[in-house]
Amino acid sequence: MERQGQRQRFGADGWVAVERHGFVAELILDRPKAMNAVSTAMADSLAQACAELAADRSVRAVVLGSTHERAFCVGADLKERNSFTDADLMRQRPHTRAAYTGVLELPMPTIAAVHGFALGGGFELALACDLIVADGTAEVGLPEVSVGVIPGGGGTQLLPRRVGAARAAELVFTARRVQAAEAAELGLVDRLVADGQDRTAALELATAIARNSPVGLRAAKRAMRLGHGLDLRTGLDLEDGAWRSVAFSGDRAEGVAAFNEKREPEWPGE
């Protein structure tokens, strides 16, 4: 899929951008000289971009991708952190948390388009998405314990939810990197595509998703995210609340009318 339209850049350095493709927004990591390593400034830019996307009711799906040919994101900017005092590191923490939480809490479906290195915080950005599309060059992992820390961008919580507690423990404790084919086999990524096709495949998937009701998509995501880990009865009650939030919406009325009139729906998004 060709790039189209104008990019809106965020932050003074412009290392994060958003590009629109109809109802799909592409959230782009664009710090090529550092393989998209997440510095304080880049974290702030990512959090700002996510806040704007979250507030935009016209966006029905988001693809998180990278302009770097050999990397999705290599994680934290360790060169920056090498100069930090303990106080500096503590001051940075709210900035990085805001970036990862910003991706995680996007209210619409999100898809990571991964190629090359997606390590540490880079893989955590992908894990914060609902789905991960990867090409054959992808190499993923959470190697934080090998440098004396732990995954701090959601990895210790998101990875077990994706692949189970024991498998997540093995991957975190060994700090090993996983190549694309094994990543697909283990469920670390959801769809494996030909080399160089991760962005195209992710945008095509997002476009298919975006044909559906934006009200329904957001409510379904909310129910699945909040219901995970709850007992069944509590989860069903949560689902019922989400159903009630859409049952009397304009989207529901339009969806039923379009079905009966055998036409494509024109979602009001409310």
Side-chain angles (χ1 to χ4, degrees):
M1 185 176 291
E2 294 297 323
R3 294 194 182 276
Q4 63 184 43
Q6 295 293 316
R7 287 187 185 178
Q8 178 185 2
R9 293 193 174 272
F10 293 84
D13 298 303
W15 289 331
V16 174
V18 169
E19 191 169 300
R20 292 294 297 268
H21 307 271
F23 295 113
V24 175
E26 190 175 8
L27 180 57
I28 305 164
L29 306 177
D30 190 23
R31 193 188 177 198
K33 291 184 179 180
M35 287 189 168
N36 294 326
V38 181
S39 64
T40 307
M42 187 171 179
D44 288 342
S45 299
L46 185 56
Q48 181 187 355
C50 287
E52 290 205 14
L53 285 173
D56 189 341
R57 299 292 299 185
S58 70
V59 177
R60 299 181 187 175
V62 171
V63 170
L64 175 61
S66 161
T67 61
H68 197 284
E69 293 182 355
R70 295 188 295 111
F72 173 74
C73 173
V74 295
D77 187 339
L78 297 184
K79 290 184 178 179
E80 178 187 58
R81 288 194 180 180
N82 191 48
S83 66
F84 278 4
T85 64
D86 289 350
D88 292 332
L89 187 60
M90 288 303 296
R91 279 191 290 268
Q92 187 201 41
R93 182 62 175 163
H95 297 263
T96 54
R97 283 203 70 183
Y100 289 100
T101 302
V103 176
L104 182 65
E105 294 185 350
L106 284 170
M108 67 289 290
T110 56
I111 304 164
V114 175
H115 59 266
F117 301 117
L119 300 172
F123 188 39
E124 288 174 302
L125 286 174
L127 290 172
C129 296
D130 300 297
L131 298 166
I132 302 174
V133 173
D135 79 357
T137 70
E139 183 175 323
V140 305
L142 297 175
E144 283 88 346
V145 297
S146 70
V147 292
V149 290
I150 69 166
T156 66
Q157 304 305 304
L158 296 171
L159 190 60
R161 286 167 167 77
R162 173 173 275 272
V163 300
R167 182 163 289 167
E170 185 266 327
L171 292 167
V172 171
F173 295 161
T174 62
R176 73 183 180 93
R177 302 181 179 190
V178 181
Q179 304 300 315
E182 186 185 4
E185 181 182 342
L186 296 178
L188 298 173
V189 304
D190 302 299
R191 186 176 294 186
L192 189 60
V193 298
D195 292 6
Q197 293 301 304
D198 54 294
R199 175 179 176 268
T200 297
L203 285 170
E204 288 175 350
L205 178 57
T207 300
I209 289 170
R211 295 190 185 103
N212 298 306
S213 158
V215 171
L217 289 170
R218 289 179 180 228
K221 175 169 178 172
R222 186 169 66 250
M224 288 189 288
R225 281 286 179 92
L226 296 179
H228 188 93
L230 299 178
D231 65 90
L232 180 58
R233 182 174 295 277
T234 304
L236 290 172
D237 286 343
L238 188 148
E239 179 187 75
D240 183 65
W243 177 87
R244 291 173 186 274
S245 74
V246 302
F248 309 104
S249 68
D251 273 16
R252 196 275 308 171
E254 169 61 11
V256 173
F259 177 84
N260 284 289
E261 295 166 13
K262 297 181 173 57
R263 60 174 173 80
E264 291 296 316
E266 297 181 6
W267 305 113
E270 56 186 20

